[in-house]
Amino acid sequence: MQEIARPADAIDFLNEWPEDRRDRIYEAALRACFDAYNGRIPASAARKTFFRFAKQVAILEDATSAMQWLAACT
């Protein structure tokens, strides 16, 4: 699991995404994250686009369920 807290985190994550799995929603997410990082769009707009990408590729994890799992391990 990897926490994405700001546009720079999302950009790093997306740059590591396998090239053979990159598509239009990936490109839109990367572009939106760069635009938010550079102040051209609000971070909330980039977040929505990144969430769409994450849902499409089935990597979106509910943070509350992950935190409960981590708490159980301590």
Side-chain angles (χ1 to χ4, degrees), residues 9-10 12 17 24 29 33 35 42 51 63 66 69 72:
D9 297 337
D12 289 343
W17 193 250
R24 286 186 291 160
C33 291
D35 286 347
F51 277 165
W69 178 81

Side-chain angles (χ1 to χ4, degrees), residues 5-50:
R6 57 186 179 265
D9 297 337
I11 291 167
D12 289 343
F13 178 85
L14 290 167
N15 280 332
E16 294 175 9
W17 193 250
E19 288 187 30
D20 63 332
R21 295 189 62 199
R22 298 177 184 187
D23 58 8
R24 286 186 291 160
I25 191 69
Y26 164 87
E27 295 293 337
L30 185 61
R31 186 172 39 257
C33 291
F34 271 117
D35 286 347
Y37 181 80
N38 291 317
R40 288 190 289 267
I41 65 170
S44 60
R47 183 182 310 111
K48 287 178 186 176
T49 306
F50 184 83

Side-chain angles (χ1 to χ4, degrees), residues 1 61-74:
M1 185 180 312
E61 178 68 37
D62 177 21
T64 40
S65 66
M67 291 176 73
Q68 291 169 355
W69 178 81
L70 289 172
C73 291
T74 58

